[in-house]
Amino acid sequence: MLEISGLSKSYGPVHALSDVTFSVEPGKVTALLGENGAGKSTLVKILSGLVTPTAGAIRVNGAPVDLSSPERASRSGVAVVQQEISVLPNLSVAENFMLTQPSRWLRRGSAPALCAPYLNRLGLGHVDPGTAVGELTIGERQLVEIARMLSQDARVLVLDEPTAALADSDIELVHKAVLRLASEGNVVLYITHRLNELDEICDAAVILRNGRLADQFETKDASLTRIVHAMIGRELDELYPDTPARADQALPAPVVRLKDVVAGGLASPVSLDLRPGEIVAVCGQLGSGFVEPLRAIAGVSPLSGGAIEFQGATASNAKAEAVAYCSDDRQLDGFFRDLPVWESMSAPGLAQSGLWGLVRPSRLRQSVDAIAERMTILPAYRERPVHALSGGNAQKVSIGKWLSSKPRILLLEEPTRGVDVGARAEIYRLLRALADDGLAILFASTDLDEVLGFGERVLVFHDNKLVHQAPSAELTRDQLATWITHGSIDRE
Ligand SMILES: Nc1ncnc2c1ncn2[C@@H]1O[C@H](COP(=O)(O)OP(=O)(O)OP(=O)(O)O)[C@@H](O)[C@H]1O
Ligand SMILES: [Mg+2]
């Protein structure tokens, strides 16, 4: 049993956690829920010995545990998957495994051989333990991080949004591993913003709001409405905005056109038209090539075949066409970590808001504030450096910054990763309104509900080929999942 009593943590005037008391039973999966900034990751960081609480106590099986450093936390039997990927890119997979408990790995001999079974369990059998982590995709890094947790022989396992960056098939493997850990009698605390995971693997839920305990229940007793209400303090009517009904020919000419494009790992050419006002989704398993159309348009993946036309003219310079591209690695290129939020958010629009090279900060602030408000970034957060923001709030900065530059083509990878359900509804509505004003949006997502709910048209990739495209209204979730995993659909 994990008991948390009177736990508080303040960062200066910010009360990230206030007098939180609850306990987590072993043998089942307990979800820890709450909107962005509610204090979930702060609790995780305390459990992993990274952050010292201002007050409170933590017991495991009735005895206080020493969480005064990550090493001690690990020795006390607490293993953690952090929200922001914490495996080190310059070290190999095996070396990253050793980092958590160096003495144990050295004593037991060859690290590569020892970590292989854990990699296998999460479908990473193809990854050589000698590979530098930096060469893996974000999804693979996330899986390495989870595999490393599995290797730790811990009694208390805490996973902070482990599936936020993963596709369904990987999520299934993670779920299996998590359920097994719980059935072995461990304490499992599981954080997610993908609320369908509650039904799938969680037995109980604890909800935080503004750093306080808001609710606690067995998931079988709770409706989604109650859960969402406890999280965001209000009911949520519609997550996705309506797609305007219109005939195909009603849309203007394409703003960008991919003609037989081969780029990145693509194994066959892809053609695609993107028109102003459209919101188009691309999806697939990790590594299936579904992000390549975005990267090709953005100029991140050089073309090895075909051509891209912007407004009919072949252009090599994406910037001139006002293309905004948000990669899936927000920590790497989503914002300036140490600058105030509003500065990160205004950077892409700098060139447009100046006159003769001079910029008026007050003018800049105004344009950013309007976007920040619609993206539910609280006024108090806008002065803080991004590194002091919660994961979901940092994600909002990462997308929001592009809107100040008034792009005509917006390319988003995993746009709402880690964003809570209430803020997601706002962001979808904002993006829909921008599209209605003529923005063309192409987004890549592993969240199939988002793909079908927010995309008007869906392109499915399998094994580096475009295998299917259809209006989202003509696809069920099951069909889409089948296309993604098999690259075809059984028509018998
Ligand atoms: N290093 C820090 N300095 C100052 N404030 C911080 C720091 N880390 C977190 N906070 C603040 O503490 C609060 C709780 O953040 P936390 O990361 O725990 O939220 P969360 O529930 O994990 O949210 P999310 O779902 O977005 O990940 C937020 O208001 C955040 O801005
Ligand atoms: Mg968090």
Side-chain angles (χ1 to χ4, degrees):
M1 171 101 90
L2 168 70
E3 290 168 280
I4 290 169
S5 45
L7 199 65
S8 297
K9 172 68 192 176
S10 304
Y11 294 99
V14 179
H15 301 293
L17 288 175
S18 309
D19 196 18
V20 171
T21 301
F22 67 91
S23 50
V24 188
E25 283 175 39
K28 53 186 180 181
V29 180
T30 302
L32 180 60
L33 307 173
E35 62 187 341
N36 297 133
K40 305 177 296 296
S41 296
T42 303
L43 180 66
V44 173
K45 286 177 192 160
I46 292 173
L47 288 171
S48 64
L50 274 177
V51 160
T52 314
T54 320
I58 294 172
R59 288 188 182 78
V60 174
N61 294 337
V65 281
D66 181 0
L67 303 175
S68 57
S69 76
E71 218 222 323
R72 294 202 182 106
S74 166
R75 256 193 268 143
S76 312
V78 181
V80 173
V81 171
Q82 301 286 353
Q83 178 172 16
E84 299 303 340
I85 289 170
S86 69
V87 279
L88 300 181
N90 300 337
L91 297 184
S92 72
V93 171
E95 285 162 344
N96 268 289
F97 269 71
M98 294 176 66
L99 275 182
T100 50
Q101 297 152 301
S103 50
R104 178 171 152 240
W105 286 87
L106 288 174
R107 200 170 57 238
R108 281 171 53 192
S110 162
L114 287 172
C115 67
Y118 301 106
L119 295 175
N120 269 331
R121 232 203 271 178
L122 291 179
L124 287 175
H126 60 284
V127 171
D128 175 356
T131 319
V133 163
E135 285 167 28
L136 305 179
T137 65
I138 293 287
E140 286 170 336
R141 287 182 216 188
Q142 180 72 70
L143 290 168
V144 167
E145 183 136 359
I146 300 170
R148 179 171 75 171
M149 180 205 69
L150 299 181
S151 76
Q152 286 179 43
D153 272 343
R155 296 171 289 163
V156 177
L157 300 123
V158 187
L159 299 95
D160 197 349
E161 299 192 32
T163 52
L166 301 181
D168 277 19
S169 50
D170 302 304
I171 291 179
E172 254 171 57
L173 294 172
V174 174
H175 283 177
K176 265 197 207 130
V178 166
L179 289 171
R180 175 158 142 190
L181 289 166
S183 70
E184 287 165 357
N186 297 302
V187 166
V188 180
L189 199 55
Y190 192 91
I191 298 177
T192 184
H193 284 296
R194 297 191 178 211
L195 296 182
N196 49 0
E197 291 193 280
L198 286 178
D199 260 353
E200 288 163 15
I201 54 163
C202 301
D203 309 289
V206 173
I207 299 184
L208 295 179
R209 260 202 90 201
N210 291 326
R212 296 179 180 278
L213 185 72
D215 207 344
Q216 189 176 12
F217 45 77
E218 301 284 310
T219 44
K220 64 178 184 334
D221 304 334
S223 66
L224 196 61
T225 321
R226 173 176 167 194
I227 296 167
V228 171
H229 195 281
M231 279 177 70
I232 67 176
R234 62 188 162 86
E235 317 248 298
L236 189 70
D237 26 289
E238 281 302 319
L239 183 54
Y240 302 105
D242 289 337
T243 302
R246 59 174 171 238
D248 260 1
Q249 56 272 33
L251 281 168
V255 60
V256 59
R257 199 158 223 189
L258 272 63
K259 287 185 167 171
D260 297 327
V261 160
V262 186
L266 286 179
S268 69
V270 172
S271 296
L272 160 71
D273 283 354
L274 189 64
R275 294 161 193 274
E278 259 194 320
I279 301 178
V280 178
V282 289
C283 62
Q285 285 175 324
L286 298 176
S288 65
F290 71 111
V291 292
E292 292 305 340
L294 282 75
R295 295 183 184 176
I297 299 173
V300 179
S301 288
L303 303 194
S304 46
I308 298 180
E309 284 178 5
F310 291 94
Q311 288 256 313
T314 309
S316 56
N317 187 349
K319 185 164 156 271
E321 294 299 325
V323 176
Y325 163 70
C326 215
S327 88
D328 61 358
D329 193 349
R330 63 175 174 241
Q331 291 297 327
L332 182 72
D333 52 24
F335 35 69
F336 301 109
R337 274 179 58 77
D338 298 325
L339 291 184
V341 163
W342 78 268
E343 289 192 32
S344 268
M345 286 189 69
S346 58
L350 267 183
Q352 292 158 12
S353 48
L355 191 59
W356 299 316
L358 297 175
V359 173
R360 291 238 305 271
S362 58
R363 182 83 56 83
L364 218 50
R365 286 265 353 203
Q366 277 172 6
S367 72
V368 167
D369 277 349
I371 294 163
E373 186 179 340
R374 299 216 31 203
M375 303 213 58
T376 71
I377 300 172
L378 301 177
Y381 291 168
R382 297 175 206 161
E383 302 299 332
R384 292 190 205 155
V386 187
H387 69 71
L389 251 47
S390 74
N393 285 317
Q395 178 69 24
K396 296 176 198 168
V397 175
S398 163
I399 306 179
K401 69 171 187 294
W402 284 119
L403 305 182
S404 71
S405 73
K406 307 207 174 51
R408 288 163 58 212
I409 302 167
L410 183 61
L411 309 164
L412 303 168
E413 291 182 10
E414 301 295 343
T416 59
R417 174 195 310 165
V419 175
D420 72 55
V421 58
R424 274 171 56 175
E426 295 301 322
I427 292 173
Y428 293 139
R429 220 169 298 165
L430 170 62
L431 293 175
R432 181 71 258 174
L434 292 169
D436 292 343
D437 280 345
L439 179 67
I441 300 178
L442 180 62
F443 75 98
S445 175
T446 50
D447 180 340
L448 301 193
D449 298 313
E450 173 173 86
V451 164
L452 290 174
F454 188 52
E456 293 168 48
R457 221 157 31 96
V458 182
L459 279 71
V460 188
F461 284 74
H462 178 78
D463 215 3
N464 286 302
K465 293 187 196 100
L466 172 62
V467 291
H468 189 59
Q469 48 182 317
S472 51
E474 289 170 17
L475 274 171
T476 65
R477 196 184 191 287
D478 281 348
Q479 286 168 338
L480 184 58
T482 310
W483 276 111
I484 287 177
T485 37
H486 300 293
S488 65
I489 199 159
D490 201 1
R491 290 178 190 280
E492 279 154 39

